[in-house]
Amino acid sequence: YKRQVLAVEPACQGKGAGAALIRHVTRQADRDRLPCYVATHNPRNVPYYERFGFRMMRETRLGPDVRSFSMGREPEP
């Protein structure tokens, strides 16, 4: 499996760059019939990733104010 990090410079967020990158990666994964996984510490990102077909796999509390959300996406036909 490949581990990749995706991030968008805060000043550039909200302009579609992250969505374009996610769509590019998920199209490749669909073509190769591979699942994708993402992890985020920001609960506001969960609905964002759900728009691309990711579903919650696990929520882990790392401290009183820190949570980790692990999400997965199966390949689409």
Side-chain angles (χ1 to χ4, degrees):
Y1 89 100
K2 281 184 170 179
R3 176 183 274 189
Q4 298 178 338
V5 175
L6 171 71
V8 176
E9 182 72 33
C12 298
Q13 292 176 355
K15 299 177 183 173
L21 292 168
I22 292 171
R23 280 193 298 274
H24 176 75
V25 169
T26 55
R27 275 195 301 268
Q28 287 182 343
D30 291 345
R31 181 196 65 213
D32 296 341
R33 307 294 306 146
L34 296 171
C36 294
Y37 302 95
V38 297
T40 182
H41 296 300
N42 187 340
R44 292 180 302 175
N45 290 342
V46 171
Y48 178 76
Y49 288 121
E50 287 175 337
R51 289 190 345 224
F52 299 98
F54 289 89
R55 298 292 168 246
M56 183 67 65
M57 295 171 47
R58 180 179 6 211
E59 179 180 338
T60 306
R61 188 162 296 279
L62 302 174
D65 298 324
V66 180
R67 294 181 291 171
S68 176
F69 304 93
S70 300
M71 303 178 74
R73 178 187 179 280
E74 292 300 319
E76 294 182 0

